[in-house]
Amino acid sequence: MPPFHFRVGFGYDVHQLQAGLPFWLGGITVPHTHGALGHSDADVLIHVICDALLGAANLRDIGFHFPDTDPQYKGIDSKKLLAGVLRLLRERGYEVGNVDSTICLERPKVNPHIPAMQQTLAEVMGLDADLISIKATTTEKLGFVGRQEGVAAYATVLVYKTA
């Protein structure tokens, strides 16, 4: 085995948008008339990062570790789920190399909020904000994202074994 053992993980998630809910994205609330619907706070960006990290370490997915059938996770702050995922990875000797993510959303515009998301995620993950890439795009008014019925996100992560 080489001195460093690298692994890559991928995450994908979608959430329906509903009027009157807070819109959590990347660990912060983004001002909008609609928020994501889910069992937790429905932070789609954190959920895809969790899934990508768990996948990289072959630890299944977020629903396996934090099932939406468990009342203790009802309304939970997804930053707590991310902290739990990082604990699982670090217990197995993994550390995060970097995160690359994309949010698909017609409105609101996400770009002005990206630095705050990066800083918030960096604090939770114990990483430099420069290691967390967040991009945003629309779907050019196509599909459920284009009709503003939902939000989607993707993430790829690199992890490496330290022990």
Side-chain angles (χ1 to χ4, degrees):
M1 178 188 295
F4 291 102
H5 182 76
F6 295 99
R7 290 180 144 198
V8 174
F10 173 76
Y12 169 74
D13 196 19
V14 300
H15 282 279
Q16 182 181 0
L17 292 176
Q18 188 173 70
L21 294 176
F23 191 24
W24 285 96
L25 199 55
I28 66 168
T29 52
V30 174
H32 192 44
T33 58
H34 290 64
L37 182 63
H39 184 72
S40 67
D41 64 7
D43 189 323
V44 69
L45 181 58
I46 288 182
H47 293 180
V48 297
I49 293 169
C50 287
D51 269 349
L53 290 167
L54 290 166
N58 195 20
L59 292 172
R60 301 193 58 174
D61 61 31
I62 192 173
F64 178 79
H65 294 280
F66 310 102
D68 64 6
T69 55
D70 190 332
Q72 74 174 314
Y73 303 119
K74 178 71 176 161
I76 193 169
D77 182 336
S78 290
K79 292 186 293 291
K80 293 179 181 178
L81 302 180
L82 180 57
V85 166
L86 288 161
R87 191 170 37 259
L88 289 170
L89 260 67
R90 290 176 175 144
E91 286 171 358
R92 286 161 181 79
Y94 288 102
E95 192 51 64
V96 179
N98 72 300
V99 174
D100 184 27
S101 62
T102 302
I103 302 162
C104 302
L105 186 66
E106 290 295 322
R107 288 188 10 230
K109 293 296 181 192
V110 174
N111 279 319
H113 306 285
I114 288 175
M117 289 184 226
Q118 287 174 302
Q119 188 57 46
T120 298
L121 293 172
E123 290 170 10
V124 173
M125 299 177 77
L127 298 174
D128 187 86
D130 186 54
L131 297 175
I132 302 169
S133 168
I134 302 170
K135 301 175 302 297
T137 189
T138 69
T139 59
E140 302 296 330
K141 303 198 183 330
L142 297 173
F144 72 90
V145 171
R147 292 187 301 271
Q148 300 179 47
E149 298 168 355
V151 56
Y154 303 85
T156 303
V157 300
L158 176 73
V159 301
Y160 58 92
K161 196 97 172 184
T162 58

